[in-house]
Amino acid sequence: MTDSASAEVRHRYVIVGGGPAGLQLSYYLQQAGADYLTLERAPEPAEFFRRFPRHRKLISLNKVHSVSDDPEIRLRWDWNSLLQEPAELPFADYSREYFPHADDLVRYLADFSRHHKLNVRYDTGVQRIDRLADGFAVHTADGTIAADCLVVATGWGRPNVPDVPGIEHAVGYEAMSTDPADYADHRVLILGKGNSAFETASALLSHAAMIHLASPRPLRLAWNTKHPGDVRGHHGAVLDSYQFKTLHSVLDCVIDEIRPVGDRFEVRLTYSHADGETAVMEYESVLRCTGFAMDTSLFGDGCRPRMTPNGRMPVTRPDWQSADVDGLYFAGTIAQDRDFKKASSAFIDGFRYNLRTLTRLLRERYEDVPLPYEQLTADAETLAGAVLDRVNWSSALWTQFEFLVDALVVDPATGQVRHYHDLPEDYAVARFGDEPHLYTFGLRWGRDDYGDVFAIERHPQPDRAAESAFIHPVVRRYRDGVLVEELHLLEDLLAEWRREDRHVRPLQEFFARDLVADQHLG
């Protein structure tokens, strides 16, 4: 443990990392007048996006044209803008492309930092982080900075390299050539079936003689999982090539060994769904596209966070705090373990809302600023109106479906309701777990296993709303931390939940029954 007296300067909050997450959190802390400092090792923001994705097209949507002129609703389809009030720098001013170029995001983030005069110290790499009795010591080449609260927003810091014999012979996504001509007539093995693997395969499709994408488990298509990090539809040409027998293939298999033999590689593999069948395949190129992981080398022994079983990201509490290091928080793509492969916390359009909420939680803890809420009366019409207003308008609930919710805490003594916005549901339930009357509400997808997601039988009756397949509002009632009731409202093609028969009346009747039936309100 380091002596805090050795630190040359102290800040209440120190943020490590000047990418989109570090900039978004810096903005909110600055707006609140908080004492913060952000450290970035590169001379400008967005170092990651200066290199990745390698083929320079983002998969984050930039839907410039919309049926709504409400800035909040338009954010539902703007996956690249950081939050700011007013929205002076929309990403649409930097690109009109549906899938923008990564360089446009780099320009945007640099301008965001300059425009808001954020307190970011560039060219300042963090060498080590140590625990203090009253916070953390952040060591840099320019001196040591003490922090009451440390927020790590470094993003992915190293490649995720699977434990495969001979993996050193595979060229990593971070280092491979992006010139398709370099793979002309090659048999190419791509390790991985995520978007970086399909991005690479798509680029090589017209040059390589054969492309195999391989991993032990089946690929996850975003149109089935509803998760934007799974394989997206614009890579369909690769899947077409597989189905149309062009020798390009998507393989479920374990790679047992990669062995160089002359000017090619022999790869031994065991198929996942073929009664243990093995094979030896020959390739001229083997590419590793297996994602990234957080770099933990900065942490001293007294504050090294516990990691998830795959070792790629830290384990966090519902408030994005380290599970085992008090006062250490995580922001951005590395802070996604609680909704991994569910909502959008891995991406700008998701974590920008998480960071708005994190700012409120940090200020409550470190500055004694109460968590804000609106006060409502506990009658069915008022509560139903509040729910419908929020689900029809909020971009946070839309983007962070099944993760962020609003909470309605009913005070049985006064008949008043505290309405909190944009809380992780597990946080809301834990925080208000001793309350006898808690509602959460947000948006959820139908999660049935549909044989064909483009041919789903629908049942547009209010009493069958729980069978909705599309995104739709869900209200949950908790008593003393236990889920006791759940109401689904019918899906709607235009995501407008205002119909008297399908949405308004069922929700009012739900609240009327529940409020009257609750013995604590009598």
Side-chain angles (χ1 to χ4, degrees), residues 55 173 190-205 211 213-214 219-221 230-232 234-240 242 249-251 289:
H55 294 89
Y173 175 73
I190 298 175
L191 304 179
K193 294 200 205 93
N195 277 297
S196 64
F198 274 83
E199 167 203 333
T200 302
S202 296
L204 305 186
L205 204 56
I211 301 172
L213 297 94
L219 65 88
R220 292 164 54 96
L221 295 173
D230 289 328
V231 176
R232 306 285 287 281
H234 65 283
H235 294 308
V238 177
L239 299 175
D240 280 354
Y242 174 34
S249 299
V250 179
L251 307 178
C289 298

PDB file of all heavy atoms in Angstrom, residues 55 173 190-205 211 213-214 219-221 230-232 234-240 242 249-251 289:
ATOM      1  N   HIS A  55     -10.619  -2.962 -41.165  1.00  0.00           N
ATOM      2  CA  HIS A  55     -11.079  -2.596 -42.507  1.00  0.00           C
ATOM      3  C   HIS A  55     -11.892  -1.306 -42.493  1.00  0.00           C
ATOM      4  O   HIS A  55     -12.494  -0.946 -43.511  1.00  0.00           O
ATOM      5  CB  HIS A  55     -11.856  -3.761 -43.126  1.00  0.00           C
ATOM      6  CG  HIS A  55     -10.993  -4.962 -43.376  1.00  0.00           C
ATOM      7  ND1 HIS A  55     -10.803  -5.951 -42.431  1.00  0.00           N
ATOM      8  CD2 HIS A  55     -10.235  -5.306 -44.439  1.00  0.00           C
ATOM      9  CE1 HIS A  55      -9.978  -6.869 -42.911  1.00  0.00           C
ATOM     10  NE2 HIS A  55      -9.621  -6.504 -44.125  1.00  0.00           N
ATOM     11  N   TYR A 173      -5.475 -10.470 -35.631  1.00  0.00           N
ATOM     12  CA  TYR A 173      -6.300  -9.434 -36.262  1.00  0.00           C
ATOM     13  C   TYR A 173      -5.619  -8.081 -36.193  1.00  0.00           C
ATOM     14  O   TYR A 173      -5.675  -7.283 -37.131  1.00  0.00           O
ATOM     15  CB  TYR A 173      -7.644  -9.405 -35.534  1.00  0.00           C
ATOM     16  CG  TYR A 173      -8.606  -8.317 -35.957  1.00  0.00           C
ATOM     17  CD1 TYR A 173      -9.264  -8.379 -37.177  1.00  0.00           C
ATOM     18  CD2 TYR A 173      -8.885  -7.243 -35.106  1.00  0.00           C
ATOM     19  CE1 TYR A 173     -10.179  -7.390 -37.551  1.00  0.00           C
ATOM     20  CE2 TYR A 173      -9.791  -6.260 -35.467  1.00  0.00           C
ATOM     21  CZ  TYR A 173     -10.434  -6.333 -36.688  1.00  0.00           C
ATOM     22  OH  TYR A 173     -11.334  -5.357 -37.050  1.00  0.00           O
ATOM     23  N   ILE A 190      -9.686 -18.724 -40.542  1.00  0.00           N
ATOM     24  CA  ILE A 190      -9.907 -17.619 -39.609  1.00  0.00           C
ATOM     25  C   ILE A 190     -10.407 -18.206 -38.296  1.00  0.00           C
ATOM     26  O   ILE A 190     -11.457 -18.865 -38.264  1.00  0.00           O
ATOM     27  CB  ILE A 190     -10.929 -16.621 -40.175  1.00  0.00           C
ATOM     28  CG1 ILE A 190     -10.407 -16.013 -41.482  1.00  0.00           C
ATOM     29  CG2 ILE A 190     -11.222 -15.520 -39.155  1.00  0.00           C
ATOM     30  CD1 ILE A 190     -11.403 -15.103 -42.170  1.00  0.00           C
ATOM     31  N   LEU A 191      -9.654 -18.003 -37.244  1.00  0.00           N
ATOM     32  CA  LEU A 191     -10.061 -18.479 -35.922  1.00  0.00           C
ATOM     33  C   LEU A 191     -11.007 -17.456 -35.317  1.00  0.00           C
ATOM     34  O   LEU A 191     -10.632 -16.309 -35.073  1.00  0.00           O
ATOM     35  CB  LEU A 191      -8.840 -18.674 -35.026  1.00  0.00           C
ATOM     36  CG  LEU A 191      -7.747 -19.607 -35.560  1.00  0.00           C
ATOM     37  CD1 LEU A 191      -6.592 -19.695 -34.580  1.00  0.00           C
ATOM     38  CD2 LEU A 191      -8.315 -20.987 -35.855  1.00  0.00           C
ATOM     39  N   GLY A 192     -12.238 -17.865 -35.066  1.00  0.00           N
ATOM     40  CA  GLY A 192     -13.241 -16.966 -34.522  1.00  0.00           C
ATOM     41  C   GLY A 192     -14.448 -16.860 -35.440  1.00  0.00           C
ATOM     42  O   GLY A 192     -14.342 -17.086 -36.650  1.00  0.00           O
ATOM     43  N   LYS A 193     -15.601 -16.524 -34.833  1.00  0.00           N
ATOM     44  CA  LYS A 193     -16.827 -16.331 -35.617  1.00  0.00           C
ATOM     45  C   LYS A 193     -17.576 -15.086 -35.171  1.00  0.00           C
ATOM     46  O   LYS A 193     -18.794 -15.019 -35.273  1.00  0.00           O
ATOM     47  CB  LYS A 193     -17.757 -17.542 -35.479  1.00  0.00           C
ATOM     48  CG  LYS A 193     -17.249 -18.844 -36.058  1.00  0.00           C
ATOM     49  CD  LYS A 193     -18.428 -19.789 -36.296  1.00  0.00           C
ATOM     50  CE  LYS A 193     -17.992 -21.231 -36.278  1.00  0.00           C
ATOM     51  NZ  LYS A 193     -18.126 -21.839 -34.943  1.00  0.00           N
ATOM     52  N   GLY A 194     -16.839 -14.103 -34.678  1.00  0.00           N
ATOM     53  CA  GLY A 194     -17.462 -12.839 -34.325  1.00  0.00           C
ATOM     54  C   GLY A 194     -17.397 -11.864 -35.480  1.00  0.00           C
ATOM     55  O   GLY A 194     -17.049 -12.217 -36.609  1.00  0.00           O
ATOM     56  N   ASN A 195     -17.696 -10.588 -35.178  1.00  0.00           N
ATOM     57  CA  ASN A 195     -17.738  -9.608 -36.258  1.00  0.00           C
ATOM     58  C   ASN A 195     -16.370  -9.320 -36.856  1.00  0.00           C
ATOM     59  O   ASN A 195     -16.262  -9.034 -38.050  1.00  0.00           O
ATOM     60  CB  ASN A 195     -18.397  -8.318 -35.766  1.00  0.00           C
ATOM     61  CG  ASN A 195     -19.901  -8.396 -35.830  1.00  0.00           C
ATOM     62  OD1 ASN A 195     -20.484  -8.537 -36.898  1.00  0.00           O
ATOM     63  ND2 ASN A 195     -20.565  -8.326 -34.684  1.00  0.00           N
ATOM     64  N   SER A 196     -15.300  -9.386 -36.059  1.00  0.00           N
ATOM     65  CA  SER A 196     -13.973  -9.174 -36.644  1.00  0.00           C
ATOM     66  C   SER A 196     -13.626 -10.302 -37.601  1.00  0.00           C
ATOM     67  O   SER A 196     -12.998 -10.078 -38.649  1.00  0.00           O
ATOM     68  CB  SER A 196     -12.901  -9.043 -35.556  1.00  0.00           C
ATOM     69  OG  SER A 196     -12.773 -10.235 -34.809  1.00  0.00           O
ATOM     70  N   ALA A 197     -14.031 -11.535 -37.274  1.00  0.00           N
ATOM     71  CA  ALA A 197     -13.790 -12.661 -38.175  1.00  0.00           C
ATOM     72  C   ALA A 197     -14.582 -12.502 -39.469  1.00  0.00           C
ATOM     73  O   ALA A 197     -14.048 -12.707 -40.571  1.00  0.00           O
ATOM     74  CB  ALA A 197     -14.160 -13.968 -37.480  1.00  0.00           C
ATOM     75  N   PHE A 198     -15.852 -12.125 -39.367  1.00  0.00           N
ATOM     76  CA  PHE A 198     -16.663 -11.964 -40.571  1.00  0.00           C
ATOM     77  C   PHE A 198     -16.260 -10.719 -41.359  1.00  0.00           C
ATOM     78  O   PHE A 198     -16.345 -10.699 -42.586  1.00  0.00           O
ATOM     79  CB  PHE A 198     -18.144 -11.934 -40.206  1.00  0.00           C
ATOM     80  CG  PHE A 198     -18.744 -13.309 -40.126  1.00  0.00           C
ATOM     81  CD1 PHE A 198     -18.628 -14.071 -38.983  1.00  0.00           C
ATOM     82  CD2 PHE A 198     -19.398 -13.852 -41.217  1.00  0.00           C
ATOM     83  CE1 PHE A 198     -19.163 -15.350 -38.915  1.00  0.00           C
ATOM     84  CE2 PHE A 198     -19.941 -15.123 -41.168  1.00  0.00           C
ATOM     85  CZ  PHE A 198     -19.818 -15.882 -40.021  1.00  0.00           C
ATOM     86  N   GLU A 199     -15.832  -9.677 -40.661  1.00  0.00           N
ATOM     87  CA  GLU A 199     -15.285  -8.505 -41.347  1.00  0.00           C
ATOM     88  C   GLU A 199     -14.106  -8.910 -42.224  1.00  0.00           C
ATOM     89  O   GLU A 199     -13.990  -8.501 -43.393  1.00  0.00           O
ATOM     90  CB  GLU A 199     -14.844  -7.472 -40.309  1.00  0.00           C
ATOM     91  CG  GLU A 199     -13.990  -6.338 -40.852  1.00  0.00           C
ATOM     92  CD  GLU A 199     -13.140  -5.699 -39.766  1.00  0.00           C
ATOM     93  OE1 GLU A 199     -13.523  -5.736 -38.579  1.00  0.00           O
ATOM     94  OE2 GLU A 199     -12.073  -5.162 -40.111  1.00  0.00           O
ATOM     95  N   THR A 200     -13.219  -9.735 -41.652  1.00  0.00           N
ATOM     96  CA  THR A 200     -12.042 -10.188 -42.387  1.00  0.00           C
ATOM     97  C   THR A 200     -12.432 -11.092 -43.551  1.00  0.00           C
ATOM     98  O   THR A 200     -11.941 -10.942 -44.675  1.00  0.00           O
ATOM     99  CB  THR A 200     -11.092 -10.925 -41.428  1.00  0.00           C
ATOM    100  OG1 THR A 200     -10.724 -10.040 -40.357  1.00  0.00           O
ATOM    101  CG2 THR A 200      -9.843 -11.407 -42.139  1.00  0.00           C
ATOM    102  N   ALA A 201     -13.329 -12.030 -43.293  1.00  0.00           N
ATOM    103  CA  ALA A 201     -13.765 -12.946 -44.346  1.00  0.00           C
ATOM    104  C   ALA A 201     -14.428 -12.189 -45.488  1.00  0.00           C
ATOM    105  O   ALA A 201     -14.205 -12.488 -46.673  1.00  0.00           O
ATOM    106  CB  ALA A 201     -14.713 -13.988 -43.775  1.00  0.00           C
ATOM    107  N   SER A 202     -15.252 -11.187 -45.158  1.00  0.00           N
ATOM    108  CA  SER A 202     -15.926 -10.410 -46.195  1.00  0.00           C
ATOM    109  C   SER A 202     -14.914  -9.707 -47.097  1.00  0.00           C
ATOM    110  O   SER A 202     -15.101  -9.627 -48.315  1.00  0.00           O
ATOM    111  CB  SER A 202     -16.864  -9.378 -45.555  1.00  0.00           C
ATOM    112  OG  SER A 202     -17.910 -10.008 -44.844  1.00  0.00           O
ATOM    113  N   ALA A 203     -13.838  -9.198 -46.492  1.00  0.00           N
ATOM    114  CA  ALA A 203     -12.832  -8.481 -47.272  1.00  0.00           C
ATOM    115  C   ALA A 203     -12.060  -9.412 -48.204  1.00  0.00           C
ATOM    116  O   ALA A 203     -11.590  -8.989 -49.263  1.00  0.00           O
ATOM    117  CB  ALA A 203     -11.867  -7.765 -46.330  1.00  0.00           C
ATOM    118  N   LEU A 204     -11.930 -10.691 -47.814  1.00  0.00           N
ATOM    119  CA  LEU A 204     -11.125 -11.637 -48.598  1.00  0.00           C
ATOM    120  C   LEU A 204     -11.953 -12.443 -49.584  1.00  0.00           C
ATOM    121  O   LEU A 204     -11.396 -13.220 -50.366  1.00  0.00           O
ATOM    122  CB  LEU A 204     -10.402 -12.607 -47.654  1.00  0.00           C
ATOM    123  CG  LEU A 204      -9.525 -12.006 -46.554  1.00  0.00           C
ATOM    124  CD1 LEU A 204      -8.778 -13.119 -45.827  1.00  0.00           C
ATOM    125  CD2 LEU A 204      -8.559 -10.982 -47.111  1.00  0.00           C
ATOM    126  N   LEU A 205     -13.250 -12.262 -49.566  1.00  0.00           N
ATOM    127  CA  LEU A 205     -14.157 -13.179 -50.261  1.00  0.00           C
ATOM    128  C   LEU A 205     -13.851 -13.288 -51.760  1.00  0.00           C
ATOM    129  O   LEU A 205     -13.952 -14.377 -52.338  1.00  0.00           O
ATOM    130  CB  LEU A 205     -15.597 -12.723 -50.038  1.00  0.00           C
ATOM    131  CG  LEU A 205     -16.696 -13.781 -50.170  1.00  0.00           C
ATOM    132  CD1 LEU A 205     -16.438 -14.954 -49.247  1.00  0.00           C
ATOM    133  CD2 LEU A 205     -18.049 -13.148 -49.844  1.00  0.00           C
ATOM    134  N   ILE A 211     -12.091 -20.018 -47.652  1.00  0.00           N
ATOM    135  CA  ILE A 211     -12.092 -19.371 -46.336  1.00  0.00           C
ATOM    136  C   ILE A 211     -12.880 -20.255 -45.380  1.00  0.00           C
ATOM    137  O   ILE A 211     -14.040 -20.587 -45.656  1.00  0.00           O
ATOM    138  CB  ILE A 211     -12.731 -17.973 -46.388  1.00  0.00           C
ATOM    139  CG1 ILE A 211     -11.993 -17.067 -47.371  1.00  0.00           C
ATOM    140  CG2 ILE A 211     -12.734 -17.341 -44.993  1.00  0.00           C
ATOM    141  CD1 ILE A 211     -12.698 -15.745 -47.608  1.00  0.00           C
ATOM    142  N   LEU A 213     -14.096 -20.275 -41.362  1.00  0.00           N
ATOM    143  CA  LEU A 213     -14.186 -19.616 -40.061  1.00  0.00           C
ATOM    144  C   LEU A 213     -14.473 -20.697 -39.024  1.00  0.00           C
ATOM    145  O   LEU A 213     -15.406 -21.487 -39.194  1.00  0.00           O
ATOM    146  CB  LEU A 213     -15.293 -18.566 -40.034  1.00  0.00           C
ATOM    147  CG  LEU A 213     -15.135 -17.379 -40.989  1.00  0.00           C
ATOM    148  CD1 LEU A 213     -15.868 -17.653 -42.294  1.00  0.00           C
ATOM    149  CD2 LEU A 213     -15.663 -16.090 -40.347  1.00  0.00           C
ATOM    150  N   ALA A 214     -13.681 -20.722 -37.950  1.00  0.00           N
ATOM    151  CA  ALA A 214     -13.764 -21.854 -37.029  1.00  0.00           C
ATOM    152  C   ALA A 214     -13.773 -21.404 -35.579  1.00  0.00           C
ATOM    153  O   ALA A 214     -13.016 -20.514 -35.175  1.00  0.00           O
ATOM    154  CB  ALA A 214     -12.590 -22.808 -37.269  1.00  0.00           C
ATOM    155  N   LEU A 219     -22.122 -20.079 -34.559  1.00  0.00           N
ATOM    156  CA  LEU A 219     -22.149 -18.615 -34.618  1.00  0.00           C
ATOM    157  C   LEU A 219     -23.481 -18.109 -34.098  1.00  0.00           C
ATOM    158  O   LEU A 219     -24.507 -18.796 -34.148  1.00  0.00           O
ATOM    159  CB  LEU A 219     -21.873 -18.120 -36.031  1.00  0.00           C
ATOM    160  CG  LEU A 219     -22.875 -18.434 -37.149  1.00  0.00           C
ATOM    161  CD1 LEU A 219     -23.956 -17.357 -37.230  1.00  0.00           C
ATOM    162  CD2 LEU A 219     -22.155 -18.534 -38.490  1.00  0.00           C
ATOM    163  N   ARG A 220     -23.442 -16.891 -33.587  1.00  0.00           N
ATOM    164  CA  ARG A 220     -24.633 -16.238 -33.052  1.00  0.00           C
ATOM    165  C   ARG A 220     -25.004 -15.096 -33.998  1.00  0.00           C
ATOM    166  O   ARG A 220     -24.231 -14.159 -34.195  1.00  0.00           O
ATOM    167  CB  ARG A 220     -24.360 -15.686 -31.655  1.00  0.00           C
ATOM    168  CG  ARG A 220     -24.153 -16.759 -30.606  1.00  0.00           C
ATOM    169  CD  ARG A 220     -23.516 -16.190 -29.348  1.00  0.00           C
ATOM    170  NE  ARG A 220     -24.244 -15.063 -28.807  1.00  0.00           N
ATOM    171  CZ  ARG A 220     -25.147 -15.139 -27.821  1.00  0.00           C
ATOM    172  NH1 ARG A 220     -25.432 -16.319 -27.286  1.00  0.00           N
ATOM    173  NH2 ARG A 220     -25.752 -14.063 -27.371  1.00  0.00           N
ATOM    174  N   LEU A 221     -26.181 -15.197 -34.595  1.00  0.00           N
ATOM    175  CA  LEU A 221     -26.651 -14.175 -35.516  1.00  0.00           C
ATOM    176  C   LEU A 221     -27.423 -13.106 -34.746  1.00  0.00           C
ATOM    177  O   LEU A 221     -28.306 -13.420 -33.938  1.00  0.00           O
ATOM    178  CB  LEU A 221     -27.538 -14.789 -36.591  1.00  0.00           C
ATOM    179  CG  LEU A 221     -26.849 -15.776 -37.541  1.00  0.00           C
ATOM    180  CD1 LEU A 221     -27.880 -16.440 -38.445  1.00  0.00           C
ATOM    181  CD2 LEU A 221     -25.787 -15.070 -38.382  1.00  0.00           C
ATOM    182  N   ASP A 230     -23.228  -9.572 -31.905  1.00  0.00           N
ATOM    183  CA  ASP A 230     -23.210 -10.838 -32.623  1.00  0.00           C
ATOM    184  C   ASP A 230     -23.201 -10.575 -34.134  1.00  0.00           C
ATOM    185  O   ASP A 230     -23.326  -9.436 -34.578  1.00  0.00           O
ATOM    186  CB  ASP A 230     -24.403 -11.704 -32.194  1.00  0.00           C
ATOM    187  CG  ASP A 230     -24.231 -12.237 -30.779  1.00  0.00           C
ATOM    188  OD1 ASP A 230     -23.090 -12.488 -30.374  1.00  0.00           O
ATOM    189  OD2 ASP A 230     -25.246 -12.388 -30.076  1.00  0.00           O
ATOM    190  N   VAL A 231     -23.046 -11.637 -34.917  1.00  0.00           N
ATOM    191  CA  VAL A 231     -22.793 -11.481 -36.349  1.00  0.00           C
ATOM    192  C   VAL A 231     -23.963 -10.768 -37.020  1.00  0.00           C
ATOM    193  O   VAL A 231     -25.115 -11.187 -36.905  1.00  0.00           O
ATOM    194  CB  VAL A 231     -22.521 -12.846 -36.995  1.00  0.00           C
ATOM    195  CG1 VAL A 231     -22.345 -12.694 -38.506  1.00  0.00           C
ATOM    196  CG2 VAL A 231     -21.270 -13.466 -36.387  1.00  0.00           C
ATOM    197  N   ARG A 232     -23.635  -9.722 -37.747  1.00  0.00           N
ATOM    198  CA  ARG A 232     -24.634  -8.845 -38.324  1.00  0.00           C
ATOM    199  C   ARG A 232     -24.982  -9.271 -39.738  1.00  0.00           C
ATOM    200  O   ARG A 232     -24.204  -9.900 -40.450  1.00  0.00           O
ATOM    201  CB  ARG A 232     -24.110  -7.415 -38.302  1.00  0.00           C
ATOM    202  CG  ARG A 232     -23.670  -6.953 -36.909  1.00  0.00           C
ATOM    203  CD  ARG A 232     -24.863  -6.664 -36.020  1.00  0.00           C
ATOM    204  NE  ARG A 232     -25.455  -5.426 -36.472  1.00  0.00           N
ATOM    205  CZ  ARG A 232     -24.960  -4.230 -36.167  1.00  0.00           C
ATOM    206  NH1 ARG A 232     -23.918  -4.113 -35.372  1.00  0.00           N
ATOM    207  NH2 ARG A 232     -25.536  -3.141 -36.623  1.00  0.00           N
ATOM    208  N   HIS A 234     -25.131  -7.717 -42.521  1.00  0.00           N
ATOM    209  CA  HIS A 234     -24.407  -7.238 -43.695  1.00  0.00           C
ATOM    210  C   HIS A 234     -23.219  -8.129 -44.060  1.00  0.00           C
ATOM    211  O   HIS A 234     -22.567  -7.900 -45.075  1.00  0.00           O
ATOM    212  CB  HIS A 234     -23.963  -5.786 -43.516  1.00  0.00           C
ATOM    213  CG  HIS A 234     -22.973  -5.545 -42.427  1.00  0.00           C
ATOM    214  ND1 HIS A 234     -23.313  -5.519 -41.099  1.00  0.00           N
ATOM    215  CD2 HIS A 234     -21.638  -5.313 -42.471  1.00  0.00           C
ATOM    216  CE1 HIS A 234     -22.245  -5.268 -40.370  1.00  0.00           C
ATOM    217  NE2 HIS A 234     -21.213  -5.141 -41.181  1.00  0.00           N
ATOM    218  N   HIS A 235     -22.962  -9.157 -43.241  1.00  0.00           N
ATOM    219  CA  HIS A 235     -21.952 -10.159 -43.597  1.00  0.00           C
ATOM    220  C   HIS A 235     -22.588 -11.364 -44.284  1.00  0.00           C
ATOM    221  O   HIS A 235     -21.982 -12.430 -44.379  1.00  0.00           O
ATOM    222  CB  HIS A 235     -21.195 -10.618 -42.353  1.00  0.00           C
ATOM    223  CG  HIS A 235     -20.363  -9.542 -41.708  1.00  0.00           C
ATOM    224  ND1 HIS A 235     -19.449  -8.797 -42.416  1.00  0.00           N
ATOM    225  CD2 HIS A 235     -20.321  -9.098 -40.425  1.00  0.00           C
ATOM    226  CE1 HIS A 235     -18.873  -7.936 -41.596  1.00  0.00           C
ATOM    227  NE2 HIS A 235     -19.385  -8.089 -40.394  1.00  0.00           N
ATOM    228  N   GLY A 236     -23.808 -11.181 -44.769  1.00  0.00           N
ATOM    229  CA  GLY A 236     -24.541 -12.305 -45.350  1.00  0.00           C
ATOM    230  C   GLY A 236     -23.869 -12.947 -46.542  1.00  0.00           C
ATOM    231  O   GLY A 236     -24.093 -14.142 -46.813  1.00  0.00           O
ATOM    232  N   ALA A 237     -23.026 -12.213 -47.278  1.00  0.00           N
ATOM    233  CA  ALA A 237     -22.369 -12.811 -48.443  1.00  0.00           C
ATOM    234  C   ALA A 237     -21.482 -13.982 -48.037  1.00  0.00           C
ATOM    235  O   ALA A 237     -21.363 -14.969 -48.778  1.00  0.00           O
ATOM    236  CB  ALA A 237     -21.550 -11.755 -49.185  1.00  0.00           C
ATOM    237  N   VAL A 238     -20.864 -13.888 -46.861  1.00  0.00           N
ATOM    238  CA  VAL A 238     -20.027 -14.998 -46.393  1.00  0.00           C
ATOM    239  C   VAL A 238     -20.896 -16.221 -46.120  1.00  0.00           C
ATOM    240  O   VAL A 238     -20.555 -17.351 -46.508  1.00  0.00           O
ATOM    241  CB  VAL A 238     -19.248 -14.595 -45.126  1.00  0.00           C
ATOM    242  CG1 VAL A 238     -18.437 -15.779 -44.597  1.00  0.00           C
ATOM    243  CG2 VAL A 238     -18.333 -13.410 -45.418  1.00  0.00           C
ATOM    244  N   LEU A 239     -22.042 -16.006 -45.488  1.00  0.00           N
ATOM    245  CA  LEU A 239     -22.941 -17.122 -45.200  1.00  0.00           C
ATOM    246  C   LEU A 239     -23.542 -17.688 -46.476  1.00  0.00           C
ATOM    247  O   LEU A 239     -23.713 -18.910 -46.607  1.00  0.00           O
ATOM    248  CB  LEU A 239     -24.033 -16.666 -44.237  1.00  0.00           C
ATOM    249  CG  LEU A 239     -23.538 -16.175 -42.866  1.00  0.00           C
ATOM    250  CD1 LEU A 239     -24.693 -15.642 -42.040  1.00  0.00           C
ATOM    251  CD2 LEU A 239     -22.819 -17.287 -42.119  1.00  0.00           C
ATOM    252  N   ASP A 240     -23.863 -16.824 -47.433  1.00  0.00           N
ATOM    253  CA  ASP A 240     -24.329 -17.304 -48.738  1.00  0.00           C
ATOM    254  C   ASP A 240     -23.295 -18.225 -49.369  1.00  0.00           C
ATOM    255  O   ASP A 240     -23.630 -19.287 -49.913  1.00  0.00           O
ATOM    256  CB  ASP A 240     -24.570 -16.124 -49.691  1.00  0.00           C
ATOM    257  CG  ASP A 240     -25.894 -15.433 -49.444  1.00  0.00           C
ATOM    258  OD1 ASP A 240     -26.677 -15.939 -48.620  1.00  0.00           O
ATOM    259  OD2 ASP A 240     -26.134 -14.388 -50.074  1.00  0.00           O
ATOM    260  N   TYR A 242     -21.099 -20.050 -48.002  1.00  0.00           N
ATOM    261  CA  TYR A 242     -21.090 -21.343 -47.295  1.00  0.00           C
ATOM    262  C   TYR A 242     -22.242 -22.212 -47.785  1.00  0.00           C
ATOM    263  O   TYR A 242     -22.056 -23.376 -48.178  1.00  0.00           O
ATOM    264  CB  TYR A 242     -21.178 -21.058 -45.799  1.00  0.00           C
ATOM    265  CG  TYR A 242     -21.321 -22.270 -44.907  1.00  0.00           C
ATOM    266  CD1 TYR A 242     -20.722 -23.490 -45.216  1.00  0.00           C
ATOM    267  CD2 TYR A 242     -22.048 -22.170 -43.719  1.00  0.00           C
ATOM    268  CE1 TYR A 242     -20.851 -24.580 -44.363  1.00  0.00           C
ATOM    269  CE2 TYR A 242     -22.181 -23.255 -42.869  1.00  0.00           C
ATOM    270  CZ  TYR A 242     -21.581 -24.466 -43.201  1.00  0.00           C
ATOM    271  OH  TYR A 242     -21.718 -25.540 -42.362  1.00  0.00           O
ATOM    272  N   SER A 249     -16.489 -22.012 -45.735  1.00  0.00           N
ATOM    273  CA  SER A 249     -17.255 -22.760 -44.730  1.00  0.00           C
ATOM    274  C   SER A 249     -17.192 -22.089 -43.369  1.00  0.00           C
ATOM    275  O   SER A 249     -16.236 -21.370 -43.054  1.00  0.00           O
ATOM    276  CB  SER A 249     -16.722 -24.199 -44.607  1.00  0.00           C
ATOM    277  OG  SER A 249     -16.854 -24.894 -45.822  1.00  0.00           O
ATOM    278  N   VAL A 250     -18.218 -22.374 -42.581  1.00  0.00           N
ATOM    279  CA  VAL A 250     -18.268 -21.973 -41.178  1.00  0.00           C
ATOM    280  C   VAL A 250     -18.255 -23.259 -40.362  1.00  0.00           C
ATOM    281  O   VAL A 250     -19.211 -24.047 -40.436  1.00  0.00           O
ATOM    282  CB  VAL A 250     -19.531 -21.139 -40.880  1.00  0.00           C
ATOM    283  CG1 VAL A 250     -19.570 -20.748 -39.410  1.00  0.00           C
ATOM    284  CG2 VAL A 250     -19.571 -19.897 -41.769  1.00  0.00           C
ATOM    285  N   LEU A 251     -17.180 -23.469 -39.613  1.00  0.00           N
ATOM    286  CA  LEU A 251     -16.954 -24.749 -38.958  1.00  0.00           C
ATOM    287  C   LEU A 251     -17.114 -24.637 -37.446  1.00  0.00           C
ATOM    288  O   LEU A 251     -16.563 -23.716 -36.825  1.00  0.00           O
ATOM    289  CB  LEU A 251     -15.537 -25.258 -39.256  1.00  0.00           C
ATOM    290  CG  LEU A 251     -15.107 -25.341 -40.729  1.00  0.00           C
ATOM    291  CD1 LEU A 251     -13.661 -25.821 -40.808  1.00  0.00           C
ATOM    292  CD2 LEU A 251     -16.038 -26.269 -41.499  1.00  0.00           C
ATOM    293  N   CYS A 289      -8.794 -14.096 -35.135  1.00  0.00           N
ATOM    294  CA  CYS A 289      -9.794 -13.030 -34.934  1.00  0.00           C
ATOM    295  C   CYS A 289     -10.658 -13.419 -33.739  1.00  0.00           C
ATOM    296  O   CYS A 289     -11.866 -13.670 -33.873  1.00  0.00           O
ATOM    297  CB  CYS A 289     -10.639 -12.840 -36.189  1.00  0.00           C
ATOM    298  SG  CYS A 289      -9.708 -12.313 -37.642  1.00  0.00           S
TER     299      CYS A 289
END
